[in-house]
């Protein structure tokens, strides 16, 4: 496995900012794992993503201390090639269209055109991704005429089609209905099965609990907890620090406090059903 | 078999004029503009009016009609005509200088005013008219593709294309914002002054929105490999209508004739 991205004592301040947006961050992102990034508004999640992709400091300027390494090379030493390695989906879907294409099909194909992929292959890959993200019906529509949720899917498709090894996705479901949200997570799941490394910022903690491997909890520019999702999301002390935890975990810990002998604190619904059922069995036996 | 999307995004035009290769259209536009300036120097009557520009303007509707786009063009030309008319009136009545030709009450028409009024307003009609023809018969992506093919830097081509797209979008957005202002009680209908008062506040969100979006837009492009070096693929390809040589030859011939005629007038 090994680390694909490494942050070493990273402190980053935006230009003119009084306080750093990220403070002394050190962590490793391992290949093929799915990281869920959570934390309250303004805690530095987007800034963290921008740092991993090298947008900070190369685009946002500002001051970077420490280093961010992608496959062992500093982000500041990369040029345009980083776009082939890391796919990046931004938080705001409305600014994520190229602005020069007048159909969704061409919009999704735009990156592949830039990479100089042969036309027949572009057609094949774009159609495949449009089916996967459920936007094929929009193929001939103008990207400017889409709803927020449709745009978010087009933005996701435009990045997935490039087949990068690492995907950074910043709140891809903010504009989506529950069904759309589930389908985005299903897409991310298939990407994970293809051994992609995924870094996903998402407020919907229950979905993180279900799909992610690891969780990073941000607060005031620092990672206050990081590690296996079962460990992090069942840690009730995080609640006091303002983090939100899955409802089933909170419920589980309350049941445990009240004396139900749970073997562990569940973080997903499925796990909760199992754990609670087992505990109830046990209690009956006693 | 069903058509592929790559086939579906191509533009096929049956009309030979509308389907001209964009660079040939551009040649026509440039030559037409040259002719307009040349014809503008031919003066008639005692006060030297550039009257030839008036019949010359007939070329525009003929061109638009034979490109099968008269309806669309007339709509755009109406706006141009209004501006030209305002210029005509303002120049005619307000610019002093030279002999006073007519006087009604406090209004008077001077020689210089009438002269510049006629040449300026018809010059505008002609030049704007030919551009209307170009843009109404050519899609943005054809222009974009032609620019890149002409060897223009891809960054410059991007700026140009996205600006063309933005004009469409901004006019859409301004309608939305106008409606929002209306909902908040700002008067947007009525006379010029009322409209102007509504117009300026609506510009603020319009421009602000465009500027705020631009930062992430830059990064989005970056994430899609915009600045990657090397050959790019183009799914959309320009087509020739077959009338390119004829059209270019005709445009050049007419220009030569007009220039020759102008020189002949000088010499004779
Ligand atoms: N472009 C910028 N210039 C200056 N300061 C910024 C910029 N973007 C973010 N910040 C500041 O950096 C801090 C972290 O912001 P960031 O956008 O990373 O938070 P976030 O966790 O992504 O929040 P959200 O959940 O709202 O998306 C905030 O205090 C914010 O005000
Ligand atoms: Mg954010």
């Amino acid at each position: 496995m090994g680390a694909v991205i490494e942050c070493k004592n990273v402190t980053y301040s935006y230009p003119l900012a009084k306080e750093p947006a990220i403070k002394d961050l050190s962590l490793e992102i391992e290949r093929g794992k799915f990281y869920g990034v959570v934390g309250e508004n303004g805690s530095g999640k987007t800034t963290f993503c921008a740092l991993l992709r090298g947008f900070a400091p190369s685009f946002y300027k500002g001051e970077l201390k420490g280093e961010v390494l992608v496959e062992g090379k500093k982000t500041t030493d990369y040029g345009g090639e980083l776009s082939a390695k890391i796919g990046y989906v931004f938080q705001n879907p409305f600014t994520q269209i190229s602005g020069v294409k007048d159909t969704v099909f061409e919009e999704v194909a735009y990156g592949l055109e830039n990479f100089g992929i042969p036309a027949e292959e572009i057609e094949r890959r774009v159609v495949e991704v449009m089916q996967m993200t459920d936007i094929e019906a929009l193929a001939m529509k103008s990207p400017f005429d889409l709803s927020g949720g449709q745009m978010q899917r087009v933005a996701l498709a435009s990045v997935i089609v490039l087949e990068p090894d690492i995907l950074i996705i910043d709140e891809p479901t903010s504009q989506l209905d529950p069904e759309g949200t589930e389908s985005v997570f299903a897409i991310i799941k298939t990407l994970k099965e293809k051994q992609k490394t995924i870094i996903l910022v998402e407020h919907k903690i229950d979905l993180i609990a279900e799909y992610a491997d690891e969780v990073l909890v941000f607060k005031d520019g620092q990672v206050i907890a990081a590690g296996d999702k079962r460990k992090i999301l069942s840690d009730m002390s995080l609640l006091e620090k303002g983090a939100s935890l899955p409802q089933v975990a909170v419920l589980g810990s309350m049941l445990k406090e009240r004396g139900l002998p749970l073997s562990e604190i569940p973080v997903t619904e499925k796990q909760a059903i199992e754990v609670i059922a087992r505990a109830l069995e046990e209690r009956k036996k006693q | 078999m069903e058509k592929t999307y790559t086939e579906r995004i191509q533009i096929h035009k049956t009309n030979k004029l509308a389907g001209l290769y964009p660079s040939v259209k551009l040649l026509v536009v440039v030559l037409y503009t040259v002719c307009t300036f040349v014809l503008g120097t031919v003066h008639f009557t005692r006060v030297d009016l550039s009257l030839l520009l008036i019949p010359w303007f007939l070329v525009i509707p003929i061109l638009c009609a034979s490109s099968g786009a008269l309806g669309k063009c007339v709509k755009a030309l109406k706006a141009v005509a209004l501006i030209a008319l305002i210029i005509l009136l303002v120049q005619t009545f307000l610019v002093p200088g030279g002999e006073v030709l007519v006087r009604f009450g406090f209004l008077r028409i001077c020689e210089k005013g009438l002269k510049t009024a006629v040449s300026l307003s018809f010059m505008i009609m002609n030049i704007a008219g030919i551009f209307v023809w170009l843009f109404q018969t050519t899609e943005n992506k054809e222009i974009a593709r032609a620019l890149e093919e002409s060897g223009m830097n891809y960054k410059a081509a991007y700026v140009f294309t996205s600006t063309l797209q933005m004009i469409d979008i901004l006019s859409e957005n301004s309608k939305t914002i106008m409606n929002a202002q209306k909902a908040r009680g700002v008067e947007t209908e009525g006379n010029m002054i009322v409209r102007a008062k509504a117009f300026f506040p609506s510009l603020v969100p319009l421009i602000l929105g465009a500027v705020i979006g631009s930062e992430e837009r830059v990064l989005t492009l970056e994430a899609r490999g915009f600045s990657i070096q090397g050959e790019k693929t183009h799914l959309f390809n320009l087509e020739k209508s077959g009338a390119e040589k004829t059209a270019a030859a005709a445009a050049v011939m007419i220009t030569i004739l007009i220039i020759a005629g102008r020189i002949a007038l000088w010499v004779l």
Side-chain angles (χ1 to χ4, degrees), chain A residues 73-94:
Chain A
K73 187 170 158 184
K74 279 201 246 177
T75 51
T76 44
D77 293 341
Y78 277 96
E81 328 95 89
L82 215 48
S83 55
K85 272 199 199 342
I86 305 184
Y88 196 112
V89 184
F90 294 88
Q91 190 164 359
N92 181 353
F94 299 98

Side-chain angles (χ1 to χ4, degrees), chain A residues 95-98 113 117 123, chain B residues 6 158 216-217 233 235:
Chain A
T95 54
Q96 285 192 73
I97 40 178
S98 65
E113 285 188 303
I117 307 292
E123 167 90 24
Chain B
T6 313
Y158 176 85
E216 271 189 14
R217 173 76 41 87
T233 308
L235 292 181

Side-chain angles (χ1 to χ4, degrees), chain A residues 151-171:
Chain A
M151 254 186 207
Q152 228 158 7
R153 272 186 244 208
V154 170
L156 187 63
S158 309
V159 171
I160 292 178
V161 79
L162 303 174
E163 298 181 359
D165 282 335
I166 305 166
L167 271 147
I168 299 177
I169 309 172
D170 198 352
E171 288 186 47

Side-chain angles (χ1 to χ4, degrees), chain A:
Chain A
M1 284 271 163
V4 272
I5 306 181
E6 241 182 301
C7 296
K8 290 185 184 165
N9 303 101
V10 173
T11 297
Y12 172 77
S13 317
Y14 282 103
L16 309 177
K18 288 194 197 83
E19 236 190 301
I22 292 289
K23 296 165 203 152
D24 195 27
L25 177 78
S26 294
L27 56 81
E28 289 186 359
I29 301 289
E30 281 175 46
R31 193 179 293 283
K33 279 199 177 173
F34 179 171
Y35 290 81
V37 177
V38 299
E40 54 201 35
N41 293 131
S43 57
K45 305 180 297 294
T46 299
T47 310
F48 171 64
C49 294
L51 277 164
L52 299 187
R53 174 59 180 78
F55 288 148
S58 68
F59 179 83
Y60 289 111
K61 306 300 173 201
E63 193 193 354
L64 172 71
K65 285 189 209 127
E67 49 192 34
V68 182
L69 305 168
V70 174
E71 295 185 341
K73 187 170 158 184
K74 279 201 246 177
T75 51
T76 44
D77 293 341
Y78 277 96
E81 328 95 89
L82 215 48
S83 55
K85 272 199 199 342
I86 305 184
Y88 196 112
V89 184
F90 294 88
Q91 190 164 359
N92 181 353
F94 299 98
T95 54
Q96 285 192 73
I97 40 178
S98 65
V100 285
K101 296 295 179 184
D102 45 29
T103 63
V104 165
F105 169 75
E106 289 166 278
E107 180 66 30
V108 178
Y110 181 65
L112 294 175
E113 285 188 303
N114 284 334
F115 284 114
I117 307 292
E120 310 81 66
E121 190 186 333
I122 295 184
E123 167 90 24
R124 186 179 55 70
R125 276 166 71 172
V126 172
V127 169
E128 199 181 297
V129 169
M130 287 196 306
Q131 284 165 353
M132 183 171 161
T133 49
D134 201 18
I135 53 170
E136 203 179 1
L138 307 173
M140 301 306 287
K141 266 193 98 163
S142 162
F144 290 104
D145 295 340
L146 303 177
S147 74
Q150 291 170 333
M151 254 186 207
Q152 228 158 7
R153 272 186 244 208
V154 170
L156 187 63
S158 309
V159 171
I160 292 178
V161 79
L162 303 174
E163 298 181 359
D165 282 335
I166 305 166
L167 271 147
I168 299 177
I169 309 172
D170 198 352
E171 288 186 47
T173 64
S174 56
Q175 305 274 331
L176 298 179
D177 51 25
E179 206 180 312
T181 305
E182 285 283 354
S183 78
V184 164
F185 272 85
I187 293 164
I188 296 174
K189 198 175 158 200
T190 60
L191 293 171
K192 201 193 134 192
E193 280 156 12
K194 292 184 185 165
Q195 310 304 318
K196 309 274 183 206
T197 308
I198 297 157
I199 295 142
L200 174 76
V201 178
E202 179 61 70
H203 286 292
K204 293 169 188 136
I205 195 78
D206 292 319
L207 287 162
I208 291 284
E210 191 167 338
Y211 292 95
D213 300 314
E214 304 260 324
V215 175
L216 307 174
V217 184
F218 275 79
K219 187 179 169 67
D220 299 332
Q222 284 175 312
V223 174
I224 53 166
D228 186 84
K229 69 170 174 202
R230 287 173 192 244
K231 186 180 124 236
I232 303 298
L233 297 180
S234 58
D235 179 357
M236 292 302 133
S237 69
L238 286 176
L239 281 179
E240 287 145 37
K241 294 176 186 154
S244 61
L245 295 176
Q247 289 181 0
V248 289
V250 179
L251 176 72
S253 100
M254 266 163 66
L255 289 175
K256 202 169 177 179
E257 257 170 48
R258 305 268 162 102
L260 192 68
L262 296 186
S263 56
E264 58 185 336
I265 293 185
V267 296
T268 67
E269 213 175 281
K270 204 166 138 250
Q271 196 194 356
I273 294 171
E274 281 172 20
V275 171
I276 296 174
R278 225 183 307 136
L280 290 175
E281 275 307 299
E282 218 132 283
R283 193 185 234 180
K284 238 186 262 170
K285 273 187 229 153
Q286 281 169 7

Side-chain angles (χ1 to χ4, degrees), chain B residues 21 30-31 39 61 66 79 85 114 116 120 126 134 139 147 149 174 200 226 232-233 251 253 257 263 267:
Chain B
Y21 210 72
V30 170
L31 292 180
L39 290 174
S66 31
L85 184 68
L114 188 63
T116 46
L120 199 61
N126 273 294
L134 173 69
E139 291 200 24
L147 286 177
E149 225 162 58
S174 71
F200 290 104
F226 181 70
K232 293 179 194 280
T233 308
M253 284 292 285
L257 282 177
I263 293 171
V267 179

Side-chain angles (χ1 to χ4, degrees), chain B residues 62-256:
Chain B
I62 293 171
L63 198 57
C64 294
S66 31
S67 305
L70 190 62
K72 278 197 290 182
C73 293
V74 165
K75 232 174 134 188
L77 280 173
K78 269 191 198 156
V80 178
L82 182 68
I83 295 170
L85 184 68
I86 292 171
I87 291 175
L88 185 75
L89 294 178
V90 169
Q91 294 276 340
T92 307
F93 290 108
L94 298 185
V95 176
E99 195 183 324
V100 177
L101 299 171
V102 194
R103 198 188 278 279
F104 340 79
F106 67 96
L107 288 175
R108 54 184 188 147
I109 301 177
C110 295
E111 190 182 313
K112 199 165 158 226
L114 188 63
K115 208 170 121 183
T116 46
V118 171
S119 89
L120 199 61
S121 56
F122 281 95
M123 201 77 105
I124 288 172
M125 280 295 278
N126 273 294
I127 295 172
I130 197 71
F131 276 97
V132 165
W133 169 73
L134 173 69
F135 283 102
Q136 295 297 331
T137 60
T138 320
E139 291 200 24
N140 288 350
K141 70 177 178 192
E142 293 179 88
I143 296 172
R145 190 73 184 82
L147 286 177
E148 274 184 50
E149 225 162 58
S150 72
M152 190 182 210
N153 174 295
Y154 68 99
K155 287 181 184 161
Y158 176 85
V159 170
F160 196 88
T161 320
S162 61
T163 311
L164 286 183
Q165 298 276 44
M166 270 329 263
I167 294 172
D168 297 346
I169 305 304
L170 285 183
S171 62
E172 277 297 305
N173 284 357
S174 71
K175 272 181 219 147
T176 316
I177 292 170
M178 281 287 199
N179 283 338
Q181 304 280 36
K182 219 191 293 182
R184 282 201 239 129
V186 178
E187 289 287 338
T188 55
E189 273 158 44
N191 66 31
M192 288 294 253
I193 295 167
V194 173
R195 276 161 183 264
K197 269 192 192 154
F199 180 68
F200 290 104
S202 77
L203 277 182
V204 178
L206 192 65
I207 293 170
L208 222 56
V211 170
I212 289 172
S214 67
E215 184 174 79
E216 271 189 14
R217 173 76 41 87
V218 170
L219 293 177
T220 297
L221 287 175
E222 195 51 45
R224 308 264 178 95
F226 181 70
S227 63
I228 258 189
Q229 302 296 317
E231 197 66 31
K232 293 179 194 280
T233 308
H234 295 284
L235 292 181
F236 171 67
N237 289 301
L238 292 170
E239 283 175 5
K240 289 199 162 116
S241 75
E244 278 74 16
K245 285 202 178 116
T246 325
V252 171
M253 284 292 285
I254 293 171
T255 312
I256 292 174

